[in-house]
Amino acid sequence: MEKQKITFTNEISRMMFGFGDSHVPNPDTVQLVENITLEQLRTIVQEALKYSFDGKTLKGEELIFLMRHNKLKMRRFVKYLYNKKLKGIDPRSIGEIDVDLEEKPKGYLMQFIEKIDETGEFTDLTEMDEIKHERDLRADRISQALDEQQYLEFCRARSASFCSKHTMRNLERLKTWIDPDPNSEITFRLEALEVLAYFAYQTVAEITDYALLVRKDAKWQHDPLKQTCGSYYSATMFNCAQRFGAPSLDHSRVLSGQSPISVSEIKEVMRRVRSPQSGTLNFGGKCPETHFCFAL
């Protein structure tokens, strides 16, 4: 009997709704987002294994090490670790609970972050996370336009993740999705799977963020320079679009007529991310395979 293919389309569909897509996302778009997420996770795994002591055992340390060039995303992960410890939950609310941080968690992963944090910037949580703040504002605008039943549905979507309950069965499902080869020599430690679930969640979040920016960009019909709209986007500066004074989307239409994010909008996101602005300096160095990965 053929083994059933593992898919996370249901979870991704709810996540995209929770991040501002239509309450009924386009199935083709969801499938494309799943493919992109899976591709990026596999790339991250292969890159992280380069730092493994035997090239086969993947721990959380190697995955976190890949984030070392992005202090903002490292800080967001530190907040996730704190929230996980504070709430006594597992990846159900990955990265999306915002609380006052009076102390840092002292778990295994946090100890590693402190070890590589020579300047203290990874654990300095005083600076506002603009991307997280924008997501919260978007969710707040949406929730204000919902009735009670719709709000409950929206809350369930906001709590969706790649590992809604911390059980070995759920983590095994995630592992098999990423590495379906039964003869694979890769060993995934428990904390590595938790980090990968977090990376997958953040990947879907950023793809949805960027797709909404692509849609906003396309609406600038009044701009005489509309042919050059979007020229300021790049793999590292995509989030700056919010600073150019574009009007907010009509979030009240999320459950009353907003068209779902299309496949073409996701493809445009990937085109812009993979083709950043010319003139980017890398000083002759080769970019790592993970340079376009949203989670890093």
Side-chain angles (χ1 to χ4, degrees), residues 29 36 96 113 126 148 182 217 222 226 238 259-260 270:
T29 302
I36 294 171
E96 291 302 312
I113 292 174
T126 58
E148 182 177 356
D217 192 20
H222 62 280
K226 63 182 178 181
F238 220 134
S259 59
M270 298 308 297

Side-chain angles (χ1 to χ4, degrees), residues 197-214:
Y198 173 86
F199 282 171
Y201 180 93
Q202 291 296 333
T203 299
V204 175
E206 297 218 6
I207 291 175
T208 306
D209 288 345
Y210 295 167
L212 293 175
L213 290 180
V214 166

Side-chain angles (χ1 to χ4, degrees), residues 141-172:
R141 296 189 193 108
I142 293 172
S143 63
Q144 290 182 23
L146 307 180
D147 60 30
E148 182 177 356
Q149 184 60 38
Q150 292 171 340
Y151 179 74
L152 291 175
E153 180 184 355
F154 184 61
C155 288
R156 286 193 290 269
R158 293 271 292 163
S159 66
S161 78
F162 284 84
C163 190
S164 58
K165 293 183 180 179
H166 182 196
T167 65
M168 290 304 299
R169 181 179 179 181
N170 286 331
L171 292 176
E172 183 66 24

Side-chain angles (χ1 to χ4, degrees), residues 42-166:
R42 289 174 175 172
T43 299
I44 289 172
V45 167
Q46 292 302 317
E47 190 72 14
L49 285 173
K50 296 178 182 178
Y51 301 99
S52 174
F53 71 94
D54 61 359
K56 299 178 181 179
T57 303
L58 185 64
K59 304 190 298 296
E61 295 176 352
E62 292 86 11
L63 294 167
I64 292 174
F65 187 69
L66 297 179
M67 282 195 293
R68 68 192 184 281
H69 298 305
N70 194 319
K71 66 178 182 180
L72 296 179
K73 292 187 177 181
M74 188 71 84
R75 289 172 181 171
R76 199 173 302 152
F77 183 71
V78 169
K79 284 188 177 182
Y80 157 69
L81 291 178
Y82 180 82
N83 291 327
K84 178 184 171 185
K85 178 181 178 182
L86 182 68
K87 298 294 183 179
I89 61 175
D90 293 298
R92 174 173 304 190
S93 300
I94 291 178
E96 291 302 312
I97 303 175
D98 198 10
V99 295
D100 293 331
L101 299 170
E102 298 178 355
E103 61 179 87
K104 307 297 188 300
K106 294 298 181 182
Y108 161 72
L109 296 178
M110 189 62 208
Q111 290 176 3
F112 175 74
I113 292 174
E114 291 181 339
K115 185 184 300 183
I116 64 175
D117 186 16
E118 297 179 352
T119 63
E121 61 184 4
F122 294 160
T123 55
D124 178 12
L125 305 180
T126 58
E127 183 178 346
M128 186 180 74
D129 185 338
E130 294 187 13
I131 295 176
K132 175 64 166 59
H133 179 66
E134 184 64 30
R135 289 176 189 170
D136 289 343
L137 287 178
R138 186 163 64 235
D140 181 64
R141 296 189 193 108
I142 293 172
S143 63
Q144 290 182 23
L146 307 180
D147 60 30
E148 182 177 356
Q149 184 60 38
Q150 292 171 340
Y151 179 74
L152 291 175
E153 180 184 355
F154 184 61
C155 288
R156 286 193 290 269
R158 293 271 292 163
S159 66
S161 78
F162 284 84
C163 190
S164 58
K165 293 183 180 179
H166 182 196

Side-chain angles (χ1 to χ4, degrees), residues 131-271:
I131 295 176
K132 175 64 166 59
H133 179 66
E134 184 64 30
R135 289 176 189 170
D136 289 343
L137 287 178
R138 186 163 64 235
D140 181 64
R141 296 189 193 108
I142 293 172
S143 63
Q144 290 182 23
L146 307 180
D147 60 30
E148 182 177 356
Q149 184 60 38
Q150 292 171 340
Y151 179 74
L152 291 175
E153 180 184 355
F154 184 61
C155 288
R156 286 193 290 269
R158 293 271 292 163
S159 66
S161 78
F162 284 84
C163 190
S164 58
K165 293 183 180 179
H166 182 196
T167 65
M168 290 304 299
R169 181 179 179 181
N170 286 331
L171 292 176
E172 183 66 24
R173 178 173 174 240
L174 178 66
K175 171 189 175 298
T176 306
W177 182 59
I178 298 173
D179 186 23
D181 184 2
N183 300 317
S184 175
E185 297 182 350
I186 303 176
T187 300
F188 292 81
R189 295 283 180 83
L190 176 63
E191 72 276 3
L193 291 172
E194 293 178 353
V195 176
L196 287 170
Y198 173 86
F199 282 171
Y201 180 93
Q202 291 296 333
T203 299
V204 175
E206 297 218 6
I207 291 175
T208 306
D209 288 345
Y210 295 167
L212 293 175
L213 290 180
V214 166
R215 176 172 295 182
K216 181 184 294 186
D217 192 20
K219 291 182 179 293
W220 286 6
Q221 299 299 325
H222 62 280
D223 190 344
L225 299 178
K226 63 182 178 181
Q227 293 86 351
T228 61
C229 280
S231 61
Y232 46 82
Y233 288 103
S234 72
T236 57
M237 298 298 291
F238 220 134
N239 58 302
C240 291
Q242 298 287 14
R243 303 175 186 175
F244 282 75
S248 298
L249 294 172
D250 182 5
H251 298 290
S252 65
R253 298 181 60 214
V254 170
L255 281 105
S256 62
Q258 173 176 288
S259 59
I261 294 173
S262 67
V263 170
S264 60
E265 287 170 325
I266 299 295
K267 289 182 176 180
E268 175 63 10
V269 168
M270 298 308 297
R271 184 192 71 80

